[in-house]
Amino acid sequence: MTTAPDAGLGAFDLRDPPSMDGLRACVHCGICLPQCPTYRVLGEEMDSPRGRVYLMRAAAEGRIGLSADFARHLDLCLGCRACETACPSGVPFGRLLEATRGQFRRRAARGASGRRRLLGAVLAVFPHPSRLAPLLSAARLYRRSGLARLARALPLPAALARLEAMESLLPELPAGGGDELPERWPAAGRPRGRVGLLTGCVQRFFYPDVNRDTMRLLAAAGWDVVAPRGQECCGALHLHAGRIDDLRAMARRLVAAFDPTLDLIVANAAGCGSALKDYAHWVDDDDDARAFAAKVRDVSEVLAEAELPFRELRTTVAYHDACHLQHGQRVRAEPRELLRRIPGLTVVELGDAELCCGSAGVYNLLEPEVAGELGRGKAERIRESGAPVVASGNPGCLMQIARECRALGISVEVVHTVTLLARALEEGP
Ligand code: SF4
Ligand code: SF4
């Protein structure tokens, strides 16, 4: 289970190793510990950012190998990057984690496990619309036939229980699968420029209305909007799993699908936007990818710069920060500011706002116990807020929060931030 060190950096080779400067930046102060969800749940030093950085550095210095224990502490990490926000020394934890996971994936002789098989299956399906579409049709049938209700009532073997857990995450599935999204949406009035929209795998299939609302809002903000039909997966899930070569191949394909003369590239899924911005780091030998990454914005960053004609929406919304928006992209103010511009809308803060909801890409499928505890905590903070609506900027968070609130009997509408903004937008384009 442990690989022998060779010419390289201790247990790592020199193909995308974690940065030694990044590892050395950790001064072991422990400020990050209370902000780390897995440390809060598990209470183990090695399941904290400081502990994980210690393990990575010990491997880089050849003091430990790529062991099963080390791998498990990395598996349990959500990759939420709350530790980066908390860290006064600037430890680039997300990149260290992704690089180290990449080393494990290529170099450690890990046997097949249910977790790895499931991760492989998810990554084999999600980037491919031709595979995802029939799977969703089957999920619709499963739900409508009543089998889903029956499955919930019965004790299930482990594999079926996982399928049931996946099904419980799904929102009401739209019939069209998002194919009806227009490829172009002209600006209202004189255009200020042209933006390209990343339609995303999960967003496109589970929440196609969010893409439509995003196009409408951007057009109202004065942008000509293009949603290229040929775009594929951005590779965010692959990056978080340490599949860096896959990420590079997917990044090059995605960049090629967008017209290089576009002024901006807009993402409305926090995890995707964070990965797109990080193309500049992981695909740094490609001028096109670096130029593309420099143009990427979260939709809230673009809309916050515009004057939008909002009508009254009299309700209260609790805003949930998606980790890859608040920690990955450092976008916290813009979504709140936009929501506060809607007349009649009260925006309230959640307790433990910096903590992950447990979604974290596909973490809630792979590590349901820790994810469940975090999800229940988030749902309780939502209950305490008293808000009838929760808004967030990431489809994975919407699914996780909706499921956990349902399970606890908390009656709340869970929506993407742009859904509320589009609801408040005066009739227009
Ligand atoms: S990324 Fe999140 S879960 Fe992982 S060590 Fe940092 S704070 Fe903890
Ligand atoms: S806050 Fe930063 S420097 Fe301090 S222990 Fe955590 S990672 Fe290390």
Side-chain angles (χ1 to χ4, degrees):
M1 177 67 209
T2 301
T3 53
D6 63 3
L9 200 62
F12 303 133
D13 64 19
L14 293 179
R15 198 166 132 200
D16 298 319
S19 149
M20 211 54 217
D21 287 345
L23 293 170
R24 287 196 188 109
C26 178
V27 295
H28 318 294
C29 64
I31 289 172
C32 54
L33 266 61
Q35 309 304 325
C36 173
T38 56
Y39 184 71
R40 299 249 300 233
V41 170
L42 302 167
E44 291 285 337
E45 172 70 17
M46 290 308 163
D47 290 316
S48 78
R50 182 172 65 184
R52 291 179 178 124
V53 170
Y54 175 85
L55 289 171
M56 289 186 244
R57 182 163 174 180
E61 292 174 347
R63 289 182 279 117
I64 62 170
L66 304 185
S67 68
D69 278 354
F70 182 7
R72 187 66 192 133
H73 294 303
L74 294 187
D75 283 350
L76 282 167
C77 176
L78 293 134
C80 68
R81 296 168 62 180
C83 45
E84 277 187 36
T85 300
C87 177
S89 295
V91 173
F93 190 88
R95 289 178 183 168
L96 296 174
L97 175 72
E98 287 151 1
T100 307
R101 281 181 171 164
Q103 293 277 336
F104 266 97
R105 174 166 166 68
R106 289 188 298 100
R107 294 170 57 76
R110 302 178 73 190
S113 70
R115 186 190 197 281
R116 273 190 292 289
R117 275 196 295 270
L118 183 58
L119 176 61
V122 169
L123 294 182
V125 169
F126 272 73
H128 302 283
S130 61
R131 297 176 198 166
L132 191 55
L135 199 75
L136 290 181
S137 300
R140 269 183 216 112
L141 189 67
Y142 173 70
R143 176 171 281 180
R144 285 176 192 161
S145 68
L147 279 173
R149 257 196 320 280
L150 185 66
R152 265 178 229 134
L154 294 173
L156 295 172
L160 276 181
R162 284 214 154 160
L163 272 182
E164 204 283 320
M166 274 193 218
E167 191 276 337
S168 71
L169 272 174
L170 297 182
E172 275 305 313
L173 296 170
D179 291 341
E180 67 282 0
L181 192 70
E183 193 167 13
R184 286 170 197 283
W185 202 309
R190 188 186 157 93
R192 59 164 76 187
R194 293 163 63 238
V195 299
L197 174 67
L198 179 87
T199 51
C201 307
V202 171
Q203 197 80 281
R204 188 180 339 169
F205 283 97
F206 295 118
Y207 298 104
D209 288 352
V210 171
N211 281 336
R212 174 172 284 276
D213 287 341
T214 300
M215 292 184 90
R216 185 172 157 244
L217 284 157
L218 289 168
W223 295 96
D224 276 334
V225 192
V226 183
R229 287 250 190 270
Q231 59 182 292
E232 297 177 13
C233 176
C234 67
L237 291 178
H238 298 73
L239 175 60
H240 300 153
R243 297 184 180 216
I244 295 165
D245 289 340
D246 291 345
L247 176 272
R248 288 196 174 107
M250 295 164 102
R252 290 185 215 281
R253 281 202 298 276
L254 188 78
V255 169
F258 282 80
D259 178 348
T261 65
L262 288 164
D263 296 293
L264 296 175
I265 307 296
V266 176
N268 57 19
C272 303
S274 178
L276 296 188
K277 289 179 179 179
D278 240 13
Y279 283 0
H281 173 76
W282 290 112
V283 203
D284 64 346
D285 62 339
D286 184 324
D287 290 346
D288 293 342
R290 281 191 284 111
F292 178 93
K295 294 182 198 173
V296 175
R297 304 282 185 281
D298 181 69
V299 58
S300 64
E301 294 179 275
V302 182
L303 295 179
E305 289 177 357
E307 292 288 326
L308 289 165
F310 288 136
R311 61 186 168 80
E312 186 176 89
L313 215 56
R314 196 155 283 287
T315 188
T316 298
V317 61
Y319 178 73
H320 162 69
D321 288 287
C323 293
H324 280 91
L325 203 49
Q326 68 164 335
H327 304 305
Q329 301 183 54
R330 305 288 164 103
V331 174
R332 284 178 53 83
E334 291 87 343
R336 290 173 167 80
E337 194 200 313
L338 278 163
L339 289 169
R340 288 196 176 108
R341 284 189 211 161
I342 299 176
L345 186 68
T346 304
V347 183
V348 295
E349 296 293 330
L350 290 172
D352 289 334
E354 71 292 343
L355 270 197
C356 181
C357 65
S359 168
V362 291
Y363 187 94
N364 48 359
L365 300 178
L366 301 174
E367 304 291 345
E369 289 81 17
V370 176
E373 188 150 345
L374 292 169
R376 285 188 290 280
K378 189 61 71 179
E380 287 298 351
R381 301 295 83 75
I382 289 166
R383 191 203 302 269
E384 287 161 15
S385 79
V389 184
V390 181
S392 188
N394 194 50
C397 303
L398 302 183
M399 287 192 251
Q400 168 82 349
I401 289 172
R403 176 175 71 178
E404 298 301 332
C405 286
R406 261 196 317 272
L408 291 181
I410 300 167
S411 171
V412 68
E413 186 190 15
V414 185
V415 293
H416 196 289
T417 310
V418 304
T419 304
L420 275 190
L421 298 174
R423 222 176 259 176
L425 192 64
E426 303 275 8
E427 285 308 311

